[in-house]
Amino acid sequence: MNNQIGKLYLIPTTLGDSEPLDVLPITVKQTIDSIDTFIVENDKTARRFIKSISPEKSQPSLTMFHLNKFTDKADLPTFLNPCLHGEDVGLLSEAGCPGVADPGAEIVKIAHQKNIKVVPLVGPSSILMAIMSSGMNGQSFTFNGYLPIDKGERKNEIKRLERLSFEQNQSQIFIETPYRNNKMLEDLSAVLENNTDVCVACDITLSTEFIKTQTANQWKKNKVDLHKRPTIFIIHKS
């Protein structure tokens, strides 16, 4: 019997249809080559990614545990049972880095509780790449996830984040459902003070990448189509 505990590898994926090895280090391929058990959000997209980076790997030999909104939380600890029997397990996100704005954080927490070594691999994080390319405060920033859908609540939240940014010199990062991106930019332009900076970071690492920081007032005059394009928004009031 193997008494050695396996490791949990946090395996980043591409942020879109980029060639994997254009944006991911060779260690990601090497790790995938050596693992046959994965925790994934979607079986189909996970297998497609694995095939793209490791085409010689046998797909029928793979074991997939599914981590999504339909997963019973009581089942999560069992996903790591292979580690307890000496087998390494890979955690894949649908896009970018596992555990960052991603349900994989629950698995990582359980791994620590079970004394399973967690090994994060290098890969693209749209949140970090957006802040580093925004020209805003890279030493103090907060990721806020999604803003409210209700128009009144959203307006109040935008104003609150603007005040917080000014009072704490802290850049405020958030996202929107891609088909509502254009409306989000319209709302920011209308609600924020004219001189508040807004960064729009869209399609990061893709051939259609667009990253621009300008004031809310300037965004009123300079339109960009963000419809159904993965986008990070950042605001900062100086």
Side-chain angles (χ1 to χ4, degrees):
M1 181 176 178
N2 189 350
N3 292 321
Q4 184 176 356
I5 295 179
K7 301 180 181 68
L8 175 66
Y9 284 89
L10 311 186
I11 303 174
T13 62
T14 57
L15 297 174
D17 292 329
S18 307
E19 280 295 319
L21 293 182
D22 284 348
V23 294
L24 297 170
I26 192 64
T27 50
V28 172
K29 173 177 168 50
Q30 292 168 343
T31 302
I32 288 176
D33 285 345
S34 68
I35 291 177
D36 288 324
T37 301
F38 296 89
I39 302 169
V40 306
E41 289 184 60
N42 181 284
D43 191 281
K44 185 177 180 179
T45 55
R47 288 181 181 275
R48 186 187 305 127
F49 171 72
I50 291 169
K51 186 174 181 62
S52 71
I53 201 168
S54 184
E56 68 281 3
K57 194 169 188 65
S58 169
Q59 290 279 330
S61 70
L62 302 181
T63 298
M64 298 282 189
F65 294 106
H66 301 122
L67 174 61
N68 51 47
K69 62 182 180 180
F70 302 109
T71 306
D72 187 339
K73 285 195 172 184
D75 292 336
L76 297 185
T78 67
F79 294 179
L80 293 173
N81 283 347
C83 290
L84 302 180
H85 293 89
E87 182 181 345
D88 293 335
V89 172
L91 174 63
L92 286 174
S93 175
E94 278 290 278
C97 297
V100 180
D102 174 83
E106 289 287 335
I107 292 293
V108 177
K109 181 179 180 180
I110 294 169
H112 286 296
Q113 293 169 348
K114 291 180 175 289
N115 291 317
I116 295 168
K117 184 174 181 179
V118 175
V119 183
L121 300 182
V122 175
S125 164
S126 59
I127 298 168
L128 288 180
M129 295 178 81
I131 190 68
M132 59 193 278
S133 58
S134 68
M136 298 184 183
N137 193 346
Q139 296 199 56
S140 180
F141 55 88
T142 297
F143 177 65
N144 298 279
Y146 293 91
L147 302 193
I149 296 176
D150 178 81
K151 185 175 181 180
E153 292 178 3
R154 171 178 293 206
K155 178 180 179 180
N156 291 337
E157 182 65 2
I158 291 172
K159 295 301 292 183
R160 186 187 75 82
L161 292 177
E162 184 181 41
R163 286 194 302 272
L164 188 62
S165 174
F166 178 72
E167 291 167 0
Q168 299 191 17
N169 188 29
Q170 184 180 74
S171 298
Q172 303 296 323
I173 309 171
F174 46 91
I175 54 178
E176 179 55 284
T177 302
Y179 67 85
R180 289 202 294 259
N181 280 335
N182 286 337
K183 185 64 171 63
M184 169 61 80
L185 188 54
E186 289 176 10
D187 289 346
L188 294 175
S189 301
V191 174
L192 294 171
E193 294 188 16
N194 282 339
N195 64 345
T196 295
D197 284 328
V198 179
C199 176
V200 173
C202 175
D203 289 345
I204 293 175
T205 73
L206 305 184
S207 61
T208 52
E209 181 178 85
F210 173 86
I211 302 172
K212 182 72 175 177
T213 296
Q214 55 187 7
T215 66
N217 189 51
Q218 288 172 315
W219 278 115
K220 293 176 184 176
K221 306 168 187 175
N222 302 317
K223 303 295 185 182
V224 58
D225 186 9
L226 305 173
H227 187 58
K228 291 187 177 180
R229 300 169 68 187
T231 302
I232 302 285
F233 297 93
I234 314 176
I235 65 172
H236 194 112
K237 177 175 172 57
S238 301

